[in-house]
């Protein structure tokens, strides 16, 4: 591990001022960053510890939704009574991710920002545009079974690993931030992530000095909430395909998918096809997929998983 300096932020403004130090990174639960530091994928010169900031509350909003602090742990979020009853897809997604020990530490804000688990990103002996821009993408001509099939580019086919973000996407979550000038932003999750294009190292629209302070969930919409995750082993594994769905009594609803792109994947035109069945939804959701020999099975798998979700919702 490389040498670095450390700062424990006492206030949000301390944190966003500290992050302007060259080479600085925020650290909260540290369930992803420390692993990357040990492998020297991330080499921050300065760490700003935000774990003691007062951002760990879940509160009702005037509009009937919820405001979730950026430092609420995955465990506390999954166990919250309103989340379990009114946003059940989120609770189920959180419990499908990682392990109990990691959920006890992992923060809501950090979950959105975790890096890809592409094996070539983690192998520093292999070229990777996301890790080192301009070096190439080893995954495209390598073993790509777990990697992306939509929203990918000639420079990157990595997938986003978060289960929580897929559920948040189907719930139309909004991310709140603040920066070193005291400016705040509300960013709809659908606009938060950036497709890889020619710059796969740029993953979100966050500025250098922006901190995620909260996530806003709109008023509950009802319906049947399902999160289904298909993976290579029963626990502590990332999704080959995951489906977050809210399905209403009339057969309409919403669908977001994980394991297929560099971000939680939702296409609202695909939502409109839910009454017509899984095949019609997938035709819109995964339109013109860019597959490899290793991962082309994901299109069929996605349809089968979604079909099972629809049947479960209809009883």
């Amino acid at each position: 591990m490389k040498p670095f300096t450390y700062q424990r932020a006492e206030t949000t403004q301390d944190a966003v001022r500290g992050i302007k130090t060259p080479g600085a990174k925020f650290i909260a639960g540290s369930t992803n960053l420390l692993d990357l530091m040990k492998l020297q994928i991330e080499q921050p010169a300065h760490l700003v510890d935000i774990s003691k900031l007062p951002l760990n509350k879940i509160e009702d909003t005037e509009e009937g939704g919820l405001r979730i602090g950026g430092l609420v742990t995955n465990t506390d979020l999954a166990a919250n009574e309103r989340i379990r009853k009114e946003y059940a897809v989120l609770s189920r997604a959180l419990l499908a991710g990682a392990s109990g020990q990691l959920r006890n530490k992992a923060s809501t804000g950090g979950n959105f920002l975790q890096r890809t688990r592409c094996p070539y990103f983690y192998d520093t002996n292999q070229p990777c545009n996301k890790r080192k821009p301009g070096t190439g993408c080893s995954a495209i001509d390598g073993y790509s079974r777990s990697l992306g099939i939509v929203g990918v580019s000639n420079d990157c086919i990595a997938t986003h690993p978060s289960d929580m973000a897929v559920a948040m996407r189907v719930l139309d979550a909004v991310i709140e931030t603040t920066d070193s000038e005291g400016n705040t932003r509300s960013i709809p999750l659908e606009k938060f992530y950036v497709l890889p294009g020619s710059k796969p190292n740029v993953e979100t629209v966050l500025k250098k000095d922006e901190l995620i302070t909260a996530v806003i969930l709109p008023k509950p919409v009802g319906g049947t909430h399902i999160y289904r995750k298909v993976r290579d082993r029963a626990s502590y594994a990332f999704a080959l395909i995951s489906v977050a769905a809210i399905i209403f009594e009339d057969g309409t609803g919403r669908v977001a998918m994980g394991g297929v792109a560099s971000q939680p994947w939702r296409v609202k035109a695909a939502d409109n096809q839910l009454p017509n069945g899984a095949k019609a939804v997938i035709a819109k959701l995964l339109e013109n997929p860019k597959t490899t020999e290793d991962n082309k099975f994901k299109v069929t798998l996605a349809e089968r998983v979604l079909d099972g979700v629809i049947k479960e919702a209809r009883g």
Side-chain angles (χ1 to χ4, degrees), residues 89 170 224-227 243-247 254-256 274 306 309:
V89 66
V170 88
T224 299
H225 291 220
I226 297 173
Y227 187 79
V243 172
I246 301 174
I247 299 179
R254 307 173 180 179
V255 175
L274 268 168
L306 179 57
V309 166

Side-chain angles (χ1 to χ4, degrees), residues 64 77-78 84 94 103 137 159 168 183 197 210 222 247 265 301:
L77 186 56
R84 290 190 293 109
L94 286 162
R103 291 194 295 270
C137 176
T159 53
M168 289 284 199
N183 301 312
E210 269 187 302
I247 299 179
W265 196 251
L301 179 60

Side-chain angles (χ1 to χ4, degrees), residues 188-210:
L189 187 54
E190 65 180 305
K191 297 181 179 178
F192 181 72
Y193 293 106
V194 178
L195 290 176
S198 61
K199 296 181 179 180
N201 58 305
V202 179
E203 298 173 350
T204 74
V205 298
L206 286 180
K207 297 180 293 185
K208 164 67 177 174
D209 64 339
E210 269 187 302

Side-chain angles (χ1 to χ4, degrees), residues 11-291:
T11 66
T12 300
Q13 281 305 301
D14 280 346
V16 291
R17 283 194 293 264
I19 202 66
K20 296 183 78 173
T21 303
K25 290 277 186 180
F26 289 125
I27 187 166
S30 72
T31 57
N32 188 205
L33 180 59
L34 283 184
D35 284 343
L36 296 174
M37 289 172 66
K38 290 173 183 176
L39 294 169
Q40 297 187 19
I41 295 168
E42 295 273 12
Q43 299 181 37
H46 182 65
L47 288 181
V48 181
D49 185 346
I50 60 172
S51 61
K52 301 302 180 183
L53 299 183
L55 301 174
N56 60 351
K57 294 181 180 179
I58 303 173
E59 302 169 304
D60 296 340
T61 66
E62 293 182 359
E63 296 75 22
L66 281 178
R67 186 178 191 272
I68 302 161
L71 292 176
V72 172
T73 67
N74 287 182
T75 294
D76 288 346
L77 186 56
N80 179 269
E81 184 175 0
R82 279 200 69 191
I83 293 292
R84 290 190 293 109
K85 289 183 177 179
E86 299 175 346
Y87 305 93
V89 66
L90 177 55
S91 181
R92 292 172 182 177
L94 286 162
L95 293 174
S99 65
Q101 294 93 329
L102 288 173
R103 291 194 295 270
N104 287 342
K105 294 293 292 181
S107 67
T108 298
N111 196 307
F112 286 117
L113 299 175
Q114 60 184 305
R115 306 297 303 275
T116 182
R117 265 47 176 202
C118 173
Y120 297 99
F121 173 76
Y122 272 80
D123 185 351
T124 54
N125 293 312
Q126 300 289 335
C128 173
N129 289 318
K130 188 177 283 289
R131 177 173 19 88
K132 191 173 181 181
T135 58
C137 176
S138 301
I140 290 176
D141 293 321
Y143 185 60
S144 52
R145 181 172 182 271
S146 64
L147 301 178
I149 59 174
V150 286
V152 298
S153 73
N154 292 330
D155 291 295
C156 185
I157 60 172
T159 53
H160 196 272
S162 174
D163 292 289
M164 184 198 78
V166 181
M168 289 284 199
R169 180 69 185 86
V170 88
L171 290 168
D172 288 333
V174 175
I175 293 175
E176 289 189 347
T177 71
T178 189
D179 67 17
S180 59
E181 302 299 321
N183 301 312
T184 60
R185 280 207 292 171
S186 296
I187 309 169
L189 187 54
E190 65 180 305
K191 297 181 179 178
F192 181 72
Y193 293 106
V194 178
L195 290 176
S198 61
K199 296 181 179 180
N201 58 305
V202 179
E203 298 173 350
T204 74
V205 298
L206 286 180
K207 297 180 293 185
K208 164 67 177 174
D209 64 339
E210 269 187 302
L211 172 68
I212 294 176
T213 54
V215 182
I216 306 300
L217 295 182
K219 183 178 178 180
V221 295
T224 299
H225 291 220
I226 297 173
Y227 187 79
R228 186 169 293 186
K229 179 178 181 178
V230 177
R231 44 191 163 177
D232 282 329
R233 56 181 185 267
S235 66
Y236 200 59
F238 298 99
L240 287 172
I241 292 290
S242 65
V243 172
I246 301 174
I247 299 179
F248 306 116
E249 288 187 4
D250 62 0
T252 63
R254 307 173 180 179
V255 175
M257 192 164 284
V260 296
S262 62
Q263 58 183 266
W265 196 251
R266 184 177 172 203
V267 176
K268 291 187 177 179
D271 291 351
N272 298 333
Q273 294 298 319
L274 268 168
N276 300 322
K279 191 176 187 68
V281 174
I282 295 300
K284 288 289 186 183
L285 189 66
L286 304 182
E287 191 172 15
N288 299 319
K290 188 175 180 180
T291 61

